[in-house]
Amino acid sequence: MPKRVVFTPDALDQPFGQQILARVEAHGLEIERLKSNRLTGLRGSDTRETYRNAKSTLAVVCAPPSALRLQPTPPSADWQMNLAEGCPAHCQYCYLAGSLSGPPVVKVFANLPELLMNTAAYEQPGRITSFEVSCYTDVLALEHLTGSLAECVRYFGQRAVARLRFVSKFNQVGPLLGLPHAGHTRARISLNAEPVVRQLEGGTASVEARLQALRRLALPVAEGGGGYPVGVVLAPIMPVPGWEQHYRQLLDRVAAALDFPCDLTLECITHRFTPGSKQVLLDWYPATVLDLDEATRAVKRNKFGGTKYVYPPADMHTLKQFFQQEWQQRFPQAPLLYWT
Ligand code: SF4
């Protein structure tokens, strides 16, 4: 629950913005109606206070016209479509630190129906086009206040050649069960080894709660589940002390939660950071135990000249072999979509 909820005038003009308003009010939260469409008053006296203020503020705004020009998002999907930017959780490795600028306020988009209609221009006849909505937020963390994800699931349920993908570290999946998704949404849950979750993923759901959410999403509708195609996203994979044992235990728990036939995929993302994200994360979490030591990493450059620090090739090879084998043993039918 945010401490502060603000609506811009443009957001209040949108019918979907009015729906969010009704939901937020039903949760007993006080609303501030801003006089202009600019968000102000988020900065505190220092970085810590700015972080606290921003993370506990929900701003309902209209996404700018630039949001209608979608960006590709390999390897997870063809295009990213953002229903919000920012997340109320406190993961100390959060990848948003390097991709969103300014105070980490949570902005949700009141013009979602327009953003959804816009995706039709990116569909191609005769081929499936996928849209990822989790690039800049955790969609389930906000769903109780917005209903945005359910709106997306219903929309893509009616599209012949478009598919929706989301991923979350939260577990409130109840409102998604019973939606007419037509099998067009792949619902993924992000999981990690217990020590990583406990030490680094503040404010998220426990591993057990996420596993139960995954089970509910995957169970057939006739058995009270959502009947969704599902996925496990292991991210960020980190070779913490005892990692093999911790990740084996995690995969055993996934197997126990999914002890019935289902449409399942795996995505594996190893930990990485950039000079920019390291600086932001150390400002936000100065006492973090997260390993951000460049000396133990390999440098990866992208085509725009940006630098990323990843695990060295030999470590990557060991990790990849391990996860491929362990996954294959437990889930021979479920493909690994990518390793990065
Ligand atoms: S749940 Fe995801 S988006 Fe939210 S803080 Fe954690 S890593 Fe960042």
Side-chain angles (χ1 to χ4, degrees):
M1 285 292 175
K3 290 209 177 87
R4 184 176 174 216
V5 184
V6 301
F7 278 75
T8 62
D10 277 1
L12 286 169
D13 281 346
Q14 297 281 330
F16 192 72
Q18 287 293 324
Q19 280 185 43
I20 298 178
L21 177 70
R23 276 179 175 261
V24 171
E25 283 179 336
H27 279 83
L29 294 168
E30 240 175 74
I31 313 288
E32 281 175 54
R33 293 161 195 263
L34 300 179
K35 294 218 160 47
S36 90
N37 288 314
R38 270 179 50 118
L39 296 179
T40 51
L42 294 169
R43 294 206 181 265
S45 55
D46 57 20
T47 313
R48 293 293 304 150
E49 201 185 4
T50 301
Y51 173 87
R52 275 200 305 276
N53 289 351
K55 277 271 180 180
S56 57
T57 299
L58 179 74
V60 185
V61 304
C62 278
S66 59
L68 299 175
R69 282 193 308 277
L70 302 189
Q71 301 298 319
T73 184
S76 139
D78 293 314
W79 303 101
Q80 53 173 282
M81 198 222 89
N82 298 306
L83 49 78
E85 282 181 5
C87 170
H90 307 277
C91 301
Q92 294 176 26
Y93 54 73
C94 181
Y95 54 91
L96 301 184
S99 38
L100 296 177
S101 56
V105 63
V106 184
K107 288 187 237 169
V108 305
F109 298 141
N111 53 340
L112 178 64
E114 181 192 3
L115 301 175
L116 282 172
M117 302 275 278
N118 178 58
T119 62
Y122 291 80
E123 291 179 8
Q124 287 174 2
R127 143 176 216 283
I128 296 294
T129 303
S130 55
F131 296 88
E132 170 68 74
V133 280
S134 309
C135 293
Y136 288 149
T137 187
D138 189 299
V139 284
L140 278 181
L142 308 169
E143 183 62 7
H144 59 301
L145 297 171
T146 66
S148 301
L149 181 58
E151 190 75 9
C152 294
V153 170
R154 280 190 291 263
Y155 176 83
F156 283 97
Q158 295 170 1
R159 307 303 298 175
V161 292
R163 298 291 181 270
L164 175 70
R165 295 164 62 71
F166 76 83
V167 61
S168 179
K169 290 188 173 74
F170 283 75
N171 66 318
Q172 299 91 331
V173 296
L176 302 182
L177 309 181
L179 293 179
H181 57 75
H184 294 180
T185 293
R186 186 166 297 274
R188 295 121 79 217
I189 294 289
S190 169
L191 293 167
N192 218 319
E194 278 289 356
V196 176
V197 173
R198 285 171 195 268
Q199 289 181 351
L200 299 175
E201 296 187 351
T204 60
S206 67
V207 172
E208 192 51 37
R210 291 183 222 173
L211 288 168
Q212 290 314 312
L214 181 64
R215 179 179 173 84
R216 292 178 75 198
L217 288 164
L219 271 173
V221 175
E223 292 175 37
Y228 285 90
V230 293
V232 167
V233 179
L234 296 179
I237 291 171
M238 297 183 192
V240 293
W243 65 273
E244 286 160 297
Q245 182 202 344
H246 290 301
Y247 281 109
R248 266 194 203 107
Q249 281 169 358
L250 175 68
L251 295 181
D252 284 343
R253 292 169 73 185
V254 176
L258 297 178
D259 59 347
F260 51 92
C262 60
D263 177 348
L264 171 69
T265 58
L266 172 68
E267 292 152 77
C268 292
I269 304 170
T270 54
H271 180 241
R272 67 255 345 268
F273 60 93
T274 64
S277 70
K278 174 176 175 172
Q279 189 51 53
V280 174
L281 290 171
L282 289 179
D283 280 349
W284 288 354
Y285 311 107
T288 188
V289 295
L290 177 64
D291 170 22
L292 292 168
D293 180 7
E294 295 87 348
T296 61
R297 301 292 180 120
V299 177
K300 199 171 165 184
R301 294 190 202 282
N302 68 21
K303 56 184 173 195
F304 308 109
T307 300
K308 248 186 231 173
Y309 293 100
V310 300
Y311 294 118
D315 294 356
M316 278 290 218
H317 181 72
T318 307
L319 288 166
K320 188 175 178 183
Q321 292 269 80
F322 171 86
F323 281 96
Q324 275 178 331
Q325 263 172 23
E326 297 287 330
W327 183 260
Q328 178 72 20
Q329 275 168 18
R330 291 168 182 80
F331 304 101
Q333 313 297 337
L336 165 64
L337 297 186
Y338 58 86
W339 169 277
T340 186

